[in-house]
Amino acid sequence: MIGAAKSAELEHILCDPGHSFRWFTHDYPYRLACWNYHPEYEIHLITQSSGTAFVGDHIGDFQPGNLCLIGSNLPHEWVSTNFGSETLLGRDMVLQFDPRIFARAADIMPEMTAPRVLLDQALRGLQFYGSAEEQGVDLMHRIGKVQGLQRLALFFELISLMAETDEKIILSSHDYAPNLDASSAAIMQRVTAYILGNIHDDVRMSVAAELAEMAPSTFSRYFKKTTGKNFIDYVHKLRIGRACNMINEQSEPITSICFNVGYKNISNFNRHFKRECGLTPSSYRKLAATHRVEKM
C-alpha cells in the first residue's frame, strides 16, 4: 500500500563503472517502490504478485510477467495488493539506461538510430503483451545472469524486440504533462493511499480534501488538473482494477467481488466494469481463464 507519509522520489541512478546500464532486482515493499521518476529510461518487470499500476495518468491492473518500458521523468509505481504483511522477495526486475547512449553510438553505428521511435513512444509508457512479453521476460532474466559483451548484446536484443514488435500499448494519454512538484506528489500519495485503503468501503471526496488540506471545491479542481480525471471516475477506475485482480486470482463469485471493491449493487458494478474493460466481469473471467491455460 502507498504510505501516507511518503512523498515522490526523484531517484538518482548511478550505473556501475564499466557498464552501459543498470540491472537489478528488489523486494517489495522497498524504499523506492513508490511514486518516483528519473531522467533514465526504465524497463520494469513484475515477477510475482498482482495489484495496481500507475504510469503517468494511466491506472491499470498488473499480474506476474507485467513488462513495461518507462521514459524519462514519467512518474510510475506498482502497488501490490495481495501479499499481506510478508515481503515479496525479488518482486521487481529493473533495467535502467541513459537514452543518450543511442545518440552517441549512432555517430559511429547508424543502426543505433533505429530505436528512436521506441524511445519517443516510451515517454508515455509502454506495456508489452503476447510473444513480445514472453521473449522480453526471458531476455530480462538472461541479462541478469551474464556480464560484459554478452550482457550488452542481450540488452540490444531486448531493445530491438521492443522496437520491432506491434505487441505493445501506450499507457499515458497524449496530452499528459507530469507534475513533478514534490508537494503535489505528496498530496497525491496521501489521497491515493486513502482510496486504496478504503476501496472496499465508502470513499469520500470530503475526506480526501481534508488530507490534501483543501476546501472540497478547491480540491476537486486540483484533482482534475493533476490526474486528468474527476475524483469519482478515479475511484471507479481503482475499484475496477482491484476487481480485475480478484477475478484473475480467485474463484470467489463475481457478486462477492462486487461488494468487496465497494459497489453496492451488481448492475452498477457491471456497468462500470464494462466501461473500463470493454466486457462484462463474467466474460473477463472466461478470457482470463483461457489466457492462464495458454501459458501452461
Side-chain angles (χ1 to χ4, degrees), residues 105-123:
D107 290 339
I108 54 175
M109 293 182 288
E111 294 85 356
M112 290 296 102
T113 61
R116 183 176 301 167
V117 173
L118 174 72
L119 298 179
D120 287 344
Q121 291 174 330
L123 292 173

Side-chain angles (χ1 to χ4, degrees), residues 18-38:
H19 292 81
S20 302
F21 57 87
R22 180 188 184 205
W23 181 100
F24 63 101
T25 64
H26 65 72
D27 304 336
Y28 184 87
Y30 174 67
R31 182 179 66 84
L32 289 176
C34 64
W35 190 94
N36 75 97
Y37 61 94
H38 39 75

Side-chain angles (χ1 to χ4, degrees), residues 8-271:
E9 296 276 358
L10 170 58
E11 187 177 350
H12 298 281
I13 297 170
L14 297 175
C15 286
D16 296 331
H19 292 81
S20 302
F21 57 87
R22 180 188 184 205
W23 181 100
F24 63 101
T25 64
H26 65 72
D27 304 336
Y28 184 87
Y30 174 67
R31 182 179 66 84
L32 289 176
C34 64
W35 190 94
N36 75 97
Y37 61 94
H38 39 75
E40 293 78 11
Y41 277 55
E42 176 171 307
I43 301 173
H44 195 111
L45 170 64
I46 296 288
T47 65
Q48 58 176 313
S49 81
S50 63
T52 303
F54 300 84
V55 178
D57 61 354
H58 165 80
I59 303 171
D61 62 306
F62 69 81
Q63 309 293 330
N66 180 270
L67 181 67
C68 293
L69 174 60
I70 308 299
S72 295
N73 295 322
L74 181 64
H76 52 276
E77 178 176 13
W78 288 264
V79 181
S80 291
T81 56
N82 67 338
F83 70 101
S85 59
E86 66 200 65
T87 297
L88 296 174
L89 301 177
R91 187 201 73 159
D92 304 81
M93 188 176 293
V94 182
L95 190 159
Q96 296 166 329
F97 64 93
D98 186 334
R100 292 176 296 180
I101 64 174
F102 292 99
R104 293 166 179 164
D107 290 339
I108 54 175
M109 293 182 288
E111 294 85 356
M112 290 296 102
T113 61
R116 183 176 301 167
V117 173
L118 174 72
L119 298 179
D120 287 344
Q121 291 174 330
L123 292 173
R124 293 165 56 193
L126 294 171
Q127 182 175 328
F128 299 87
Y129 61 91
S131 61
E133 177 189 82
E134 293 176 5
Q135 294 175 58
V137 169
D138 178 63
L139 284 166
M140 283 289 284
H141 282 277
R142 291 167 60 194
I143 286 170
K145 296 177 180 177
V146 296
Q147 294 293 329
L149 285 176
Q150 281 185 296
R151 173 173 280 202
L152 183 62
L154 289 173
F155 168 66
F156 285 139
E157 185 176 346
L158 178 57
I159 293 297
S160 177
L161 168 70
M162 290 180 163
E164 294 174 7
T165 184
D166 292 325
E167 294 179 315
K168 58 191 171 192
I169 57 174
I170 295 176
L171 298 177
S172 294
S173 58
H174 180 72
D175 57 352
Y176 174 67
N179 185 349
L180 303 181
D181 176 72
S183 62
S184 293
I187 291 171
M188 287 305 301
Q189 286 286 108
R190 293 196 296 271
V191 170
T192 305
Y194 162 67
I195 297 172
L196 289 174
N198 295 275
I199 204 75
H200 61 287
D201 204 350
D202 287 336
V203 175
R204 300 183 181 277
M205 191 178 76
S206 58
V207 176
E210 288 181 13
L211 291 171
E213 300 180 347
M214 299 180 189
S217 58
T218 303
F219 174 76
S220 179
R221 293 191 296 270
Y222 163 85
F223 194 87
K224 179 65 181 291
K225 182 178 180 181
T226 302
T227 67
K229 300 176 179 66
N230 65 49
F231 185 79
I232 293 175
D233 287 344
Y234 191 88
V235 172
H236 282 310
K237 200 167 184 68
L238 288 181
R239 290 194 198 278
I240 297 304
R242 179 68 59 83
C244 287
N245 289 328
M246 295 177 72
I247 290 172
N248 269 316
E249 298 177 354
Q250 302 175 16
S251 58
E252 187 176 356
I254 287 174
T255 302
S256 297
I257 292 174
C258 160
F259 297 131
N260 285 338
V261 298
Y263 284 93
K264 305 303 182 185
N265 63 79
I266 190 68
S267 60
N268 195 30
F269 172 67
N270 285 338
R271 184 172 65 255

